[in-house]
Amino acid sequence: MKKGNYSNMILFFEGVDKSGKSTLIKNYKEKLGQWAAVYKNSFVKPSDAGLSFKDAITGFYAGLYEGFLFRANTEISLVDRSHITEIVYAPIKRGYDADIPRWRQIEKIFATLEEAAIVYVDTSNLTLAQRHEIEPDDYIKIEEIVRIKQGYEDYFASNTLLPVIRINGDATREEMLDELSQKIDEHFGKKD
């Protein structure tokens, strides 16, 4: 894929831990080459550096959006996790409801862009359980997977302002990459 096909595109990748999201980002970055950049949204705990989750995420987005505007037509941005992660995970992992109205304002900014979307790696409960068994995760418990997946579905059904591109996380790495490439072409339309 050449830069000219989708210059200045921004994709927010989401999915349950072990869904294959990070692997898909890595493979897509390799396919896109030098024209793509990966941004990892690492959520800090409120005690870290005196920042709240809201402040940390707001700062991340402010920097990302400012950088996005200045990079006009020079880069494809692949964002590993977004505010949606916090909205979905906070009630389950941190015991509070995330501030949807505040973050919807941030999402609204990106929704004005022509080439912005959420890529959701939709992996079955069975596959997620198998991956957790092969490579245990101290953070996510198997019994939380269904609740997290439902949190994503609830958000997409009622809150998202961006289009959602679903990728089958049960597929092989190659199949996932092919599906993403095809759906990007279908959704945004190839540019020459």
Side-chain angles (χ1 to χ4, degrees):
M1 177 179 287
K2 295 177 184 174
K3 174 205 156 217
N5 288 349
Y6 299 112
S7 56
N8 218 24
M9 181 171 66
I10 186 164
L11 300 173
F12 298 95
F13 286 78
E14 289 289 344
V16 181
D17 290 43
K18 305 279 189 211
S19 64
K21 170 187 60 61
S22 296
T23 301
L24 179 58
I25 293 169
K26 177 180 174 256
N27 292 338
Y28 197 49
K29 160 73 173 127
E30 287 175 5
K31 179 176 180 169
L32 296 173
Q34 65 180 344
W35 304 113
V38 176
Y39 297 88
K40 175 74 174 169
N41 195 354
S42 299
F43 298 103
V44 299
K45 295 180 180 176
S47 59
D48 293 348
L51 292 173
S52 70
F53 282 112
K54 295 173 191 174
D55 292 339
I57 295 170
T58 301
F60 172 82
Y61 276 102
L64 182 65
Y65 186 68
E66 183 177 306
F68 188 80
L69 293 178
F70 285 110
R71 285 194 313 271
N73 297 316
T74 62
E75 185 176 274
I76 298 168
S77 301
L78 312 177
V79 182
D80 189 350
R81 296 213 178 271
S82 67
H83 60 291
I84 301 168
T85 297
E86 184 60 13
I87 289 168
V88 170
Y89 277 66
I92 298 164
K93 298 305 297 178
R94 293 184 265 290
Y96 75 90
D97 287 326
D99 185 355
I100 291 177
R102 181 175 182 174
W103 291 332
R104 275 179 63 84
Q105 293 301 315
I106 296 167
E107 190 170 316
K108 191 181 290 185
I109 293 169
F110 284 99
T112 64
L113 303 172
E114 289 182 11
E115 292 186 346
I118 296 163
V119 175
Y120 177 60
V121 181
D122 192 359
T123 307
S124 70
N125 294 339
L126 178 60
T127 299
L128 289 167
Q130 290 170 340
R131 290 176 185 170
H132 277 267
E133 184 147 326
I134 293 168
E135 190 179 331
D137 188 328
D138 293 336
Y139 185 65
I140 298 295
K141 296 175 178 58
I142 296 294
E143 58 271 15
E144 294 172 326
I145 290 173
V146 173
R147 290 175 58 205
I148 292 168
K149 285 189 66 171
Q150 188 58 53
Y152 276 114
E153 295 302 334
D154 291 346
Y155 186 83
F156 296 148
S158 61
N159 291 303
T160 190
L161 301 171
L162 291 168
V164 178
I165 298 170
R166 289 178 179 268
I167 302 299
N168 178 8
D170 294 335
T172 67
R173 292 176 183 188
E174 294 80 15
E175 291 168 339
M176 287 172 64
L177 182 59
D178 288 345
E179 182 182 10
L180 177 61
S181 298
Q182 179 182 348
K183 287 187 173 180
I184 292 293
D185 287 346
E186 289 170 1
H187 183 78
F188 294 115
K190 256 189 178 169
K191 298 178 180 177
D192 294 322

